[in-house]
Amino acid sequence: MASIFTKIIQGEIPCEKIIETDSEIAFLDIMPCAEGHTLVIPKLEVKRLEDLPESEALSLMRTMQHVAKAVSAAFDGIDYNLILNNGANAGQEVEHVHFHVLPRPQGSSRPFHQRAKYAEGEMQEVGAKIRNCL
Ligand code: 5GP
């Protein structure tokens, strides 16, 4: 089902893109719960993880590992959370499967639902910082 993420994939809505492959795109979350909070999504329009064909799920995992390494490296930590809200009861708001990558440098423990917008120009700086670590 088409969602706001379809528009991002198609370039109709701008995003701070970290990486794009044939099958996935990763970009900064617009309402981050940590600086560098990144979403990794398949281009295939499916709602839930189990709706992805196995080959697409494996490809998503490969890209996620690549992105997660860069996200944590950019925030001089080795720790991060990978979060999947799979279905409405699990907190999924956008009906297009996506993983959240949350860098967790020492002392950062903001809960998932505690969000703060980036200041003007900050999102672009954070995106560049992560891309430099790819
Ligand atoms: P969910 O609750 O479905 O797991 O997470 C959806 C995420 O998508 C939220 O963290 C939300 O901030 C993010 N999001 C929603 N709309 C947009 C958008 O237009 N651009 C970006 N970059 N992120 C979005």
Side-chain angles (χ1 to χ4, degrees):
M1 194 175 74
S3 70
I4 189 110
F5 289 174
T6 301
K7 293 193 167 148
I8 289 178
I9 292 165
Q10 291 172 349
E12 289 169 25
I13 289 184
C15 70
E16 185 60 31
K17 196 189 293 180
I18 302 301
I19 196 173
E20 181 168 3
T21 69
D22 287 346
S23 308
E24 295 88 26
I25 180 168
F27 54 93
L28 293 185
D29 194 297
I30 204 165
M31 281 291 277
C33 95
E35 207 184 15
H37 180 168
T38 300
L39 301 174
V40 186
I41 74 172
K43 289 182 177 173
L44 208 62
E45 229 170 54
V46 299
K47 182 178 169 187
R48 302 173 62 93
L49 183 63
E50 60 272 28
D51 298 335
L52 270 183
E54 189 180 291
S55 61
E56 297 290 325
L58 291 172
S59 176
L60 177 63
M61 180 55 81
R62 193 164 38 238
T63 297
M64 200 156 57
Q65 186 189 46
H66 186 45
V67 169
K69 269 187 188 170
V71 166
S72 63
F75 292 92
D76 56 57
I78 53 171
D79 297 344
Y80 54 85
N81 295 117
L82 289 182
I83 295 174
L84 167 67
N85 298 325
N86 208 37
N89 293 330
Q92 183 176 16
E93 286 178 1
V94 177
E95 294 191 340
H96 182 126
V97 66
H98 54 280
F99 278 88
H100 299 256
V101 183
L102 305 177
R104 291 300 193 190
Q106 204 170 15
S108 70
S109 56
R110 205 192 298 163
F112 184 69
H113 288 293
Q114 201 174 311
R115 308 299 186 98
K117 273 190 177 166
Y118 288 106
E120 182 80 27
E122 193 188 3
M123 202 175 192
Q124 291 76 9
E125 279 173 30
V126 168
K129 196 168 159 180
I130 297 172
R131 287 190 294 275
N132 284 338
C133 293
L134 284 168

